[in-house]
Amino acid sequence: MNVAIIGTGYVGTVTGACFAELGHTVVCVDIDRSKVDLINAGIPPIHEPGLSELLEKHARNGLRATVAYNDAIPCSDLTFICVGTPSDKDGRIDLSIVRRASESIGDALKLANRDSHHVVVVKSTVVPGTTDEVVAPIIREKSGDASTVGIAMNPEFLREGKAVYDFMNPDKIVIGGDSRARDTVARLYKKISCEITLTDTRTAEMIKYANNSFLATKISFANEIGNICKRLGIDVYEVMSAVGKDFRISEHFLNAGAGFGGSCFPKDVKALIGRARELGYDPLLLNATIRVNEEQPMRMIELLADRIQEIRGRRIAVLGLAFKNETDDIREARSIPVIGELLNRGATVAAYDPLATENMRKVFPDVLYCDSAKDALAGADACLIMTEWAEFGSLDQEFEEMLNVVVIDGRRMVSLDSDRGVYEGICW
Ligand SMILES: NC(=O)c1ccc[n+]([C@@H]2O[C@H](COP(=O)([O-])OP(=O)(O)OC[C@H]3O[C@@H](n4cnc5c(N)ncnc54)[C@H](O)[C@@H]3O)[C@@H](O)[C@H]2O)c1
């Protein structure tokens, strides 16, 4: 099938590359010409394991990119909206990018003068009602021919850092819409062996929010239990390892630590809270999920202050900037409030991350960015571990480079005997 993908960020690029791998012909559209040029050169605009191999294989050979909607939509059977849905200043969903993309798709459909059926699919995460009440009316009005345009909603559940694997090996595929639109979308996934949930668009939209809100709540729950365990001198990892053996709970997302970040959990939970409040319901549990998460990074600072007393004038090594390992994405990374607070309190921050340095440099130009963990640790008064990069697990002699060995671990990456220095886990 011929597929247009609107937006070549994490979701759009992975979706385009994976559809090409499944044998479809793909045209990606982005307003950012630098991303378009990279994709056409077979280079991913973002870091994701396995993505460069797919782009190398398919770029200009089943997959191309363009800045022109008119160059992509007329030759496609389906168009996927994969643009960002950020939070507005009150935490509610900001649909302005989705609206603009929908207008451009509608305009391109009108100009295309088609007589075949075309399905516009919302893959961006949008609050329930958006596909039917915002996207569909714009597309229908702008295209001028409702009879040949179908609308569907197909939420994406991939994890950054494992996005290509997850897309090709999903545990669920959800498609919302009327039966004709849903069947067209389902045909795209024919080669993937996975049960497809067929439903209406509002339910498809809600499944995505319920999914992310549950996972975020599970993490905040583990962190809350961890904060209590810390005060009781109990190892929360031993507790959660046993708790996770209950099949009703499962072992995943029970690792207590510095909290969740990324482009999805914080904004999606806030968007659902915002939508619920608009409907007259203040969601108690979701509010608490966010509050626990926002306080968690500050616990790293409290532990640090307890251990070194004065933060001003000290050199603090921050290991890990990305919101999780295997990605260069720093959106809502827990390292951001931590570095912000360290700088506020007058520390010198020496940071290291295998992939995310250039992204973080735009947020904090005054941080000293290092090429290795060892360089960041050299001469440091203390070290904070903020991301679960595997390489931090094998740090050992590098700690000897520190002025004082004080390690505050937000991700349970290190074990350090007490005769070698101070080691504090955030929740253990
Ligand atoms: N990142 C994830 O792990 C993930 C997972 C599941 C779902 N989602 C959802 O998918 C959506 C996209 O997320 P993302 O992380 O890929 O976003 P992103 O910010 O990485 O990418 C969005 C892309 O859209 C482009 N864009 C903006 N306006 C455009 C326009 N008018 N026309 C064409 N392109 C335009 C931007 O230049 C950018 O390249 C969001 O709704 C997000 O919540 C993300």
Side-chain angles (χ1 to χ4, degrees):
M1 298 171 89
N2 295 304
V3 187
I5 304 281
I6 310 301
T8 60
Y10 286 83
V11 168
T13 309
V14 169
T15 301
C18 290
F19 278 151
E21 178 71 1
L22 291 171
H24 303 297
T25 302
V26 178
V27 190
C28 295
V29 181
D30 206 295
I31 49 170
D32 183 339
R33 183 172 281 282
S34 64
K35 290 186 177 175
V36 165
D37 291 343
L38 282 171
I39 291 172
N40 283 330
I43 303 166
I46 43 125
H47 175 84
E48 268 303 327
L51 187 57
S52 56
E53 289 82 347
L54 287 186
L55 285 188
E56 235 166 71
K57 184 170 164 195
H58 297 294
R60 300 199 167 277
N61 181 23
L63 178 132
R64 66 185 175 88
T66 175
V67 289
Y69 279 72
N70 290 339
D71 179 22
I73 312 271
C75 56
S76 302
D77 308 305
L78 301 100
T79 297
F80 278 76
I81 299 179
C82 301
V83 297
T85 46
S87 306
D88 71 11
K89 62 177 179 15
D90 302 318
R92 284 176 312 203
I93 191 166
D94 174 356
L95 288 171
S96 56
I97 309 176
V98 168
R99 280 200 186 88
R100 274 200 299 281
S102 303
E103 284 165 11
S104 304
I105 294 166
D107 288 341
L109 284 170
K110 181 166 193 167
L111 279 178
N113 222 349
R114 301 154 309 103
D115 43 21
S116 59
H117 193 243
H118 187 102
V119 182
V120 177
V121 190
V122 178
K123 201 174 240 320
S124 298
T125 303
V126 292
V127 291
T130 304
T131 301
D132 284 350
E133 291 155 30
V134 177
V135 175
I138 294 174
I139 301 274
R140 295 204 164 113
E141 189 211 316
K142 291 271 174 190
S143 69
D145 181 7
S147 64
T148 60
V149 183
I151 307 282
M153 205 282 148
N154 172 218
E156 182 49 61
F157 299 95
L158 58 76
R159 294 165 295 173
E160 281 184 28
K162 298 203 166 57
V164 170
Y165 176 85
D166 285 351
F167 194 95
M168 299 305 266
N169 303 276
D171 52 19
K172 58 180 166 294
I173 295 172
V174 175
I175 306 172
D178 64 35
S179 62
R180 184 173 182 193
R182 286 189 322 219
D183 288 350
T184 309
V185 180
R187 287 212 327 266
L188 279 173
Y189 292 101
K190 210 170 52 193
K191 288 193 188 157
I192 292 184
S193 111
C194 174
E195 190 188 324
I196 298 185
T197 301
L198 298 174
T199 182
D200 58 77
T201 56
R202 292 159 58 85
T203 307
E205 290 163 335
M206 192 59 177
I207 288 169
K208 174 66 189 174
Y209 279 99
N211 203 97
N212 273 3
S213 296
F214 182 80
L215 293 174
T217 303
K218 204 173 172 191
I219 295 171
S220 278
F221 173 81
N223 289 341
E224 179 134 295
I225 297 293
N227 293 337
I228 300 170
C229 282
K230 172 96 181 161
R231 282 160 177 77
L232 287 167
I234 295 169
D235 183 351
V236 65
Y237 275 68
E238 208 180 325
V239 172
M240 288 309 183
S241 148
V243 169
K245 290 190 168 61
D246 187 325
F247 75 93
R248 295 166 301 178
I249 295 174
S250 106
E251 74 210 87
H252 303 287
F253 282 70
L254 289 179
N255 293 338
F260 57 80
S263 68
C264 294
F265 287 0
K267 92 166 165 64
D268 291 349
V269 177
K270 286 178 193 165
L272 189 54
I273 290 171
R275 185 72 189 113
R277 283 187 183 148
E278 281 169 1
L279 299 167
Y281 177 72
D282 196 17
L284 307 178
L285 185 58
L286 299 182
N287 287 333
T289 295
I290 292 295
R291 184 154 171 219
V292 169
N293 198 54
E294 282 173 358
E295 291 190 6
Q296 214 60 7
M298 289 308 119
R299 294 186 196 286
M300 298 288 288
I301 302 285
E302 281 166 25
L303 290 171
L304 174 71
D306 282 352
R307 289 300 186 165
I308 67 169
Q309 281 81 47
E310 183 60 55
I311 291 179
R312 178 167 303 280
R314 300 296 189 92
R315 174 177 164 126
I316 310 296
V318 173
L319 300 188
L321 301 172
F323 86 90
K324 62 187 272 194
N325 59 329
E326 299 302 334
T327 181
D328 58 353
D329 195 345
I330 58 158
R331 290 178 285 184
E332 298 276 346
R334 298 297 80 192
S335 58
I336 294 176
V338 163
I339 293 174
E341 186 63 16
L342 290 173
L343 295 176
N344 271 344
R345 294 198 190 191
T348 298
V349 175
Y352 166 69
D353 189 283
L355 287 177
T357 298
E358 290 319 309
N359 285 335
M360 195 59 91
R361 205 188 290 278
K362 293 173 202 147
V363 182
F364 294 116
D366 295 335
V367 160
L368 180 63
Y369 292 97
C370 302
D371 292 334
S372 67
K374 187 177 173 186
D375 288 353
L377 290 169
D381 293 286
C383 153
L384 304 182
I385 300 177
M386 296 306 305
T387 310
E388 60 275 36
W389 285 106
E391 66 176 87
F392 299 156
S394 41
L395 290 175
D396 184 33
Q397 287 309 310
E398 293 82 350
F399 291 117
E400 308 302 331
E401 305 285 324
M402 298 176 73
L403 196 62
N404 299 301
V405 181
V406 175
V407 178
I408 315 288
D409 193 348
R411 301 295 177 193
R412 184 86 157 197
M413 295 309 295
V414 168
S415 66
L416 206 65
D417 292 337
S418 56
D419 57 340
R420 294 186 59 197
V422 171
Y423 174 83
E424 279 269 12
I426 181 171
C427 295
W428 54 93

